């Protein structure tokens, strides 16, 4: 069986090691070689970082796609050549595409999905076009995680034309397999009518699913809203408060739930301020609303909807402060 000598070569200035075949057999580690580098096969001097013999089946990269070392080189040649600049993209993009194309060829969908996720923020059009293609292929081959990622792209209009209806169709595919972010997104979509008319029955179903399967703080919080307002369920302020308290506990226990901690603090604080579903306690209300205000401010950069919550929290804090002052005067 034929063996191929594969060498891992680090070109000066490059951030990763690339595989090349040595036609002359084993190469000494830390020796210098000339290789064709990048999409234009520009000749560059690199350092041999690894070397080993492999069969075609064992090779670290497909034999037919692997470039060959041109010749041995010297340390002087290596030192005299300029490094590949950190902003140089042309040489790296084709190699990235080769990697994912190979993963697609061997149908390693886990690798394809990981590659798409890692390259979602790339600025090159060829890469981002491939990202969308990879998500679509992974979805076609039964990976619901790809439905969530692709749905997010359509929801935000990133890399594709914004399409809320398509986004939520994809979210539903992922949600039906129990993926929590997709469950949340479906609940929000039906609750706020983001992709169709408001449907509180479906919103309740998804928020209940997230609460039952994952004990998720965000879903518990929205269920509390539904009981507080009587959306699809009988209005029940006491049960709404219980759900808010449970959501508050989960948001402190679970790192993935900290995104909604301000929302929960706001709601529990408001309940204590007005005695909604519980007794009035202006001290607790003031404490929780103060914490909520700080956390809402932390969210401003990534959530433009938070401005209204900041305004409402300040108004409630002023009321809580006034109640505390009156109580103090009374004493």
């Amino acid at each position: 069986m034929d063996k191929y000598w594969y060498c891992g070569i680090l070109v000066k200035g490059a951030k990763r090691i690339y595989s090349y075949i040595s036609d002359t057999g084993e190469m000494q580690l830390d020796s210098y070689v000339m290789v064709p580098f990048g999409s234009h096969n520009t000749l560059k001097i690199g350092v041999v970082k690894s070397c080993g013999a492999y069969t075609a089946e064992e090779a670290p990269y497909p034999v037919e796609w692997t470039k060959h070392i041109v010749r041995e080189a010297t340390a002087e040649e290596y030192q005299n050549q300029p490094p590949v600049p950190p902003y140089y993209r042309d040489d790296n993009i084709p190699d990235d595409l080769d990697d994912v194309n190979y993963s697609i060829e061997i149908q390693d969908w886990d690798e394809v999905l990981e590659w798409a996720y890692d390259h979602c923020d790339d600025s090159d059009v060829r890469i981002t076009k491939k990202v969308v293609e990879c998500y679509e292929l992974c979805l076609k081959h039964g990976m619901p995680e790809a439905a969530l990622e692709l749905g997010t792209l359509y929801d935000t209009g990133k890399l594709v034309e914004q399409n809320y209806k398509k986004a939520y169709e994809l979210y539903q595919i992922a949600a039906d397999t129990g993926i929590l972010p997709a469950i949340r997104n479906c609940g929000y979509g039906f609750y706020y009518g983001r992709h169709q008319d408001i449907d509180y029955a479906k919103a309740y179903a998804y928020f209940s699913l997230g609460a039952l399967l994952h004990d998720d703080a965000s879903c518990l919080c929205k269920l509390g809203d539904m009981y507080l307002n009587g959306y699809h369920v009988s209005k029940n302020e006491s049960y709404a408060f219980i759900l808010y308290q449970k959501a508050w506990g989960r948001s402190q226990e679970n790192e993935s739930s900290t995104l909604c901690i301000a929302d929960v603090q706001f709601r529990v604080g408001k309940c204590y301020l007005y005695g909604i579903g519980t007794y009035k306690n202006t001290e607790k209300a003031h404490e929780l609303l103060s914490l909520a205000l700080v956390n809402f401010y932390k969210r401003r950069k990534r959530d433009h909807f938070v401005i209204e919550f900041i305004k409402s929290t300040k108004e409630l804090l002023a009321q809580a402060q006034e109640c505390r002052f009156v109580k103090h005067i009374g004493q």
Side-chain angles (χ1 to χ4, degrees):
M1 186 176 289
D2 291 337
K3 291 260 187 177
Y4 301 86
W5 282 95
Y6 269 75
C7 297
I9 308 298
L10 182 62
V11 171
K12 188 176 181 181
K15 293 183 179 180
R16 56 173 284 192
I17 294 172
Y18 294 90
S19 292
Y20 289 87
I21 292 175
S22 167
D23 295 321
T24 58
E26 185 175 8
M27 303 292 296
Q28 185 177 344
L29 298 186
D30 294 323
S31 61
Y32 299 93
V33 292
M34 178 180 284
V35 294
F37 186 71
S39 58
H40 299 296
N41 290 321
T42 306
L43 295 178
K44 297 284 185 180
I45 309 298
V47 182
V48 178
K49 292 298 182 182
S50 63
C51 189
Y54 301 88
T55 64
E57 290 73 22
E58 300 168 335
Y61 203 70
V63 172
E64 62 273 18
W65 292 0
T66 308
K67 299 175 185 179
H68 293 243
I69 293 171
V70 175
R71 63 171 175 83
E72 294 186 41
T74 64
E76 184 179 5
E77 286 180 295
Y78 179 82
Q79 294 299 332
N80 289 338
Q81 77 170 352
V84 176
Y87 54 82
Y88 188 67
R89 300 292 299 153
D90 188 47
D91 280 340
N92 288 327
I93 290 170
D95 290 314
D96 279 345
L97 290 177
D98 283 349
D99 286 344
V100 74
N101 283 332
Y102 176 60
S103 295
I104 291 170
E105 183 176 321
I106 64 173
Q107 299 189 22
D108 187 343
W109 303 116
D110 287 328
E111 284 293 327
V112 173
L113 183 64
E114 184 178 350
W115 182 94
Y117 186 81
D118 289 343
H119 290 78
C120 203
D121 293 321
D122 202 291
S123 59
D124 189 276
V125 176
R126 290 172 293 178
I127 293 290
T128 54
K129 185 178 178 181
K130 195 70 177 180
V131 166
V132 176
E133 178 189 332
C134 287
Y135 283 145
E136 289 173 342
L137 282 170
C138 288
L139 177 58
K140 183 179 177 181
H141 287 84
M143 300 190 73
E145 300 91 343
L148 171 63
E149 300 301 333
L150 195 56
T152 303
L153 296 185
Y154 280 105
D155 195 6
T156 59
K158 181 179 179 180
L159 309 186
V160 295
E161 186 176 348
Q162 195 169 46
N163 187 325
Y164 292 125
K165 188 174 186 298
K166 188 165 186 176
Y168 280 87
E169 287 173 355
L170 289 162
Y171 285 152
Q172 285 177 276
I173 292 172
D176 289 346
T177 66
I179 296 176
L180 178 56
I183 292 171
R184 283 196 204 119
N185 289 341
C186 285
Y188 291 140
F190 287 114
Y191 187 92
Y192 294 107
R194 289 179 178 171
H195 64 296
Q196 60 164 45
D197 293 337
I198 289 172
D199 189 329
Y200 289 130
K202 288 183 178 178
Y204 182 82
Y206 278 110
F207 289 139
S208 297
L209 183 64
L212 290 169
L213 285 182
H214 302 281
D215 203 17
D216 178 60
S218 294
C219 291
L220 288 164
C221 184
K222 294 311 294 178
L223 284 174
D225 288 349
M226 298 192 80
Y227 277 97
L228 182 67
N229 295 292
Y231 294 157
H232 180 65
V233 292
S234 298
K235 187 171 181 176
N236 189 328
E237 292 182 352
S238 297
Y239 191 49
F241 181 71
I242 290 171
L243 288 167
Y244 290 149
Q245 281 194 308
K246 189 171 183 181
W248 183 21
R250 286 296 294 157
S251 66
Q252 295 177 92
E253 296 167 4
N254 190 339
E255 188 175 341
S256 67
S257 298
T258 55
L259 288 176
C260 77
I261 193 167
D263 304 273
V264 178
Q265 290 167 335
F266 173 84
R267 285 163 171 80
V268 177
K270 186 176 179 179
C271 286
Y272 277 124
L273 180 63
Y274 294 132
I276 300 172
T278 186
Y279 59 92
K280 286 187 178 182
N281 188 323
T282 53
E283 294 296 329
K284 281 189 176 181
H286 190 273
E287 178 187 352
L288 286 166
L289 290 168
S290 298
L291 292 170
L293 185 61
V294 171
N295 287 317
F296 279 137
Y297 269 103
K298 289 179 181 178
R299 238 166 65 187
R300 280 188 306 174
K301 288 183 179 179
R302 64 178 185 275
D303 182 3
H304 63 276
F305 293 111
V306 84
I307 300 299
E308 287 301 316
F309 278 107
I310 289 174
K311 181 181 177 182
S312 298
T313 306
K314 286 181 176 179
E315 291 172 354
L316 294 178
L317 268 172
Q319 293 179 41
Q321 184 64 35
E322 184 178 349
C323 290
R324 292 171 74 206
F325 177 73
V326 171
K327 183 179 179 182
H328 178 71
I329 294 298
Q331 293 174 344

